[in-house]
């Protein structure tokens, strides 16, 4: 529900105010980016699966999770 999303936006704002999250992002945009990264790595599109041909480990859940966490960390890191 919207109240859960609003709570996450408030958390992002608090992190930005504390200097632990990059304040250059609009909190709503950042939340949407993080959600979409998580979704795309959790459920890779069937049309993208062939890109992983010969790289079975890269397609593993653990590798996708690690990549999503790394991307999120880079987005959040204060500049």
């Amino acid at each position: 529900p919207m109240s859960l999303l609003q709570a996450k936006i408030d958390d992002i704002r608090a992190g930005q105010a504390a200097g632990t999250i990059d304040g250059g992002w609009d909190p709503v945009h950042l939340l949407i980016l993080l959600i979409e990264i998580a979704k795309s790595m959790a459920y890779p599109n069937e049309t993208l699966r062939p890109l992983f041909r010969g790289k079975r480990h890269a397609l593993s859940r653990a590798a996708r999770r690690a990549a999503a966490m790394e991307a999120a960390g880079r987005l959040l890191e204060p500049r």
Side-chain angles (χ1 to χ4, degrees), residues 3-13 27 31 35:
S3 62
L4 294 176
L5 293 176
Q6 187 59 54
K8 292 180 185 305
I9 291 167
D10 294 342
D11 288 344
I12 291 170
R13 281 195 179 102
L31 178 61
I35 290 169

Side-chain angles (χ1 to χ4, degrees), residues 32-72:
I32 291 168
L33 285 167
L34 294 170
I35 290 169
E36 292 304 318
I37 287 170
K39 282 177 21 182
S40 68
M41 295 306 279
Y43 306 104
N45 186 313
E46 288 300 321
T47 60
L48 299 178
R49 283 184 181 270
L51 295 174
F52 292 104
R53 191 171 308 134
K55 299 177 184 177
R56 187 176 182 146
H57 172 73
L59 188 55
S60 74
R61 180 178 290 164
R64 294 191 326 262
R65 183 177 189 271
M69 290 177 63
E70 176 67 22

